[in-house]
């Protein structure tokens, strides 16, 4: 009986041991790298017409990107560079600063909150950029 008990324990230990996987998980940041072109700037249902711009996404480390975006509306230009942590959300990606969601990438569309200056007034608008 003692031998049977030791045999069962040995089998349990062998079965429960997990072999280490040789594959590393894909780098999240690398999945959204590229140049995106501004397609729309909006706040709620208000869309700003005539806006142009781009966003350049580069890798900072495995889970962090740096996004440098530039927008131009009329005679006002804005350029901002920020770092974001990339978090997988199903097949999409969330862009976070700390714990706050600051944007997302869904397919080939990057959505960010961007600083827009019109005349003497600055405000944060949502912007869609496409790859």
């Amino acid at each position: 009986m003692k031998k049977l008990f030791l045999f069962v324990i040995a089998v349990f230990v062998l079965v429960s041991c997990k072999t280490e996987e040789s594959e590393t998980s894909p780098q999240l940041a690398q999945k959204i790298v590229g140049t995106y072109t501004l397609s729309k700037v909006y706040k709620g249902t208000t869309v700003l017409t005539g806006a142009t711009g781009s966003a350049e996404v580069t890798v900072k480390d495995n889970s962090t990107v740096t996004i440098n975006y530039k927008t131009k509306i009329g005679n006002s230009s804005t350029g901002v560079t920020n770092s974001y942590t990339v978090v997988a959300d199903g097949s999409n990606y969330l862009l976070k600063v700390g714990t706050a969601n600051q944007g997302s990438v869904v397919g080939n569309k990057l959505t960010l909150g961007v600083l827009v200056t019109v005349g003497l007034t600055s405000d944060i608008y949502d912007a869609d950029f496409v790859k």
Side-chain angles (χ1 to χ4, degrees):
M1 183 68 143
K2 189 175 182 182
K3 288 181 182 179
L4 178 61
F5 179 72
L6 290 174
F7 176 76
V8 170
I9 294 292
V11 169
F12 178 76
V13 169
L14 289 174
V15 170
S16 65
C17 287
K18 188 176 182 181
T19 59
E20 201 162 316
E21 294 184 24
S22 60
E23 265 186 12
T24 58
S25 62
Q27 296 179 353
L28 292 178
Q30 189 63 42
K31 294 183 176 274
I32 64 170
V33 165
T35 302
Y36 295 76
T37 303
L38 183 65
S39 63
K40 181 169 84 168
V41 177
Y42 56 97
K43 188 167 199 164
T45 58
T46 304
V47 177
L48 298 180
T49 58
T52 60
S54 64
E56 184 71 30
V57 181
T58 56
V59 172
K60 188 171 182 179
D61 61 40
N62 288 349
S63 62
T64 309
V65 294
T66 299
I67 300 178
N68 178 13
Y69 73 81
K70 296 175 182 163
T71 59
K72 183 174 182 184
I73 300 169
N75 294 328
S76 297
S77 297
T78 303
V80 176
T81 301
N82 281 325
S83 291
Y84 301 88
T85 301
V86 181
V87 178
D89 183 29
S91 61
N92 304 321
Y93 303 94
L94 300 176
L95 303 172
K96 294 182 172 254
V97 175
T99 58
N101 288 337
Q102 299 292 317
S104 64
V105 177
V106 177
N108 69 342
K109 183 175 78 170
L110 164 67
T111 300
L112 284 178
V114 298
L115 179 65
V116 173
T117 302
V118 179
L120 299 175
T121 305
S122 294
D123 203 355
I124 301 295
Y125 281 73
D126 292 316
D128 291 342
F129 298 86
V130 293
K131 208 177 219 186

